[in-house]
Amino acid sequence: MTLITETNKLIEVCERFSRESFLAIDTEFMREKTYYPRVCLIQISGETEAIAVDALSPGINLAPVFQLLNDPAILKVFHACRQDMEIFFYLTKNTPKPVFDTQIAAMVCGYGDAISYDKLVKQLLGIEIVKTSRFTDWSQRPLSNTQLKYALTDVTHLRNVYEKLNKQLRENGRDTWLVEELDFVTSTTTYMIDPEKVWLRLKVRSGRPQFLVLVKAIAAFREREAQRRDVPRNRVLRDLSLIHISEPTRPY
């Protein structure tokens, strides 16, 4: 197991990875107390080497990782990549390309909607992933060997999963079916949040004009304030409270 905590070591390993045709990538992050996801680990697996990059290590520069992610000659393989795309978008204002999402590919191949990584590994590789570290606090240091081993299994098995799914897609002529969905998850506009439109996520039951005007205004204020303070939007104002204070007062 390799934990990278220094920029010079990261440069060396990323130089080796730059020769790969595809890389398996995953992230571990925290966002329970923040608006923006806080990346803690970035796991990368090549053909013969897998690493975990400590994104919280003091002074580490993640630029070599971002360079790999933006290399058009290297396919980046993820499982259920939307959260990973969001993380990299907030860090770099860009998203990795080209990308292969094994969850989307599994759906196209008939393994069911939104199949989990561990179930897919079990079905395709016959390997049972131990889940003891699934709900760990990835921001705590030092990380144990058990945590690192768990984190790295998210990418070491992913390479073999990709190869099997890619073969199935080619054999059944469905490899082009992924294009539209992958275009969506890798588009930067997918992760751009417009405060003026976030009210659409609310469960609003009334269509009264006065009510909607207030809902839109308060929701936009809440979103901007959450972004400014980097806290979850419900820490600023809960959904039910937002809707309640938007309701026009009624005379008795």
Side-chain angles (χ1 to χ4, degrees):
M1 292 183 293
T2 303
L3 178 65
I4 303 296
T5 60
E6 300 175 357
T7 302
N8 61 334
K9 297 293 184 183
L10 183 59
I11 292 172
E12 291 176 9
V13 72
C14 285
E15 170 61 28
R16 294 194 293 273
F17 281 151
S18 69
R19 305 184 188 101
E20 303 269 356
S21 60
F22 74 93
L23 296 169
I25 302 174
D26 189 39
T27 61
E28 306 296 346
F29 62 93
M30 303 293 292
R31 72 179 312 169
E32 285 79 6
K33 298 179 181 179
T34 60
Y35 180 90
Y36 300 103
R38 185 188 185 198
V39 63
C40 302
L41 279 182
I42 302 174
Q43 304 99 280
I44 309 173
S45 177
E47 185 175 0
T48 61
E49 184 176 11
I51 64 167
V53 182
D54 186 354
L56 301 182
S57 181
I60 194 166
N61 186 342
L62 298 177
V65 173
F66 301 149
Q67 186 174 352
L68 283 178
L69 295 175
N70 291 325
D71 189 335
I74 303 173
L75 179 68
K76 277 68 68 172
V77 179
F78 294 85
H79 182 83
C81 71
R82 284 197 60 169
Q83 289 185 318
D84 302 299
M85 294 296 107
E86 182 185 14
I87 287 171
F88 292 125
F89 172 74
Y90 285 133
L91 289 173
T92 68
K93 301 305 178 186
N94 200 3
T95 54
K97 295 182 185 72
V99 161
F100 185 100
D101 189 317
T102 54
Q103 187 179 72
I104 297 173
M107 178 183 65
V108 172
C109 289
Y111 290 94
D113 238 5
I115 187 172
S116 66
Y117 176 69
D118 56 308
K119 288 182 179 179
L120 192 57
V121 169
K122 176 68 174 177
Q123 289 191 41
L124 289 178
L125 307 181
I127 297 173
E128 195 86 43
I129 295 178
V130 179
K131 306 176 184 178
T132 52
S133 296
R134 171 168 291 185
F135 300 107
T136 195
D137 183 349
W138 295 104
S139 66
Q140 294 297 312
R141 295 294 183 272
L143 294 170
S144 68
N145 285 336
T146 299
Q147 288 173 308
L148 289 173
K149 183 177 180 180
Y150 173 83
L152 286 173
T153 59
D154 283 346
V155 289
T156 52
H157 300 316
L158 189 56
R159 289 183 58 88
N160 295 329
V161 167
Y162 158 71
E163 290 175 330
K164 286 183 175 293
L165 286 174
N166 196 37
K167 181 180 178 182
Q168 289 182 31
L169 287 169
R170 292 197 308 269
E171 289 176 347
N172 59 29
R174 296 179 179 178
D175 46 326
T176 59
W177 291 22
L178 279 69
V179 174
E180 183 176 347
E181 186 64 27
L182 290 176
D183 283 346
F184 175 77
V185 297
T186 59
S187 172
T188 55
T189 58
T190 302
Y191 308 99
M192 294 177 182
I193 297 177
D194 183 353
E196 301 299 328
K197 295 180 180 179
V198 293
W199 72 275
L200 295 170
R201 302 179 181 184
L202 298 170
K203 296 180 180 179
V204 177
R205 297 180 180 178
S206 172
R208 296 193 305 267
Q210 183 182 356
F211 171 73
L212 291 179
V213 167
L214 287 172
V215 165
K216 293 176 185 178
I218 296 172
F221 164 79
R222 180 182 70 167
E223 199 71 17
R224 293 190 180 95
E225 188 66 11
Q227 291 174 347
R228 184 185 69 82
R229 291 161 51 185
D230 192 19
V231 296
R233 56 179 65 91
N234 280 339
R235 291 282 185 92
V236 178
L237 186 65
R238 294 188 178 276
D239 288 355
L240 288 177
S241 299
L242 190 159
I243 292 172
H244 177 71
I245 64 178
S246 299
E247 293 176 345
T249 56
R250 300 176 180 175
Y252 291 97

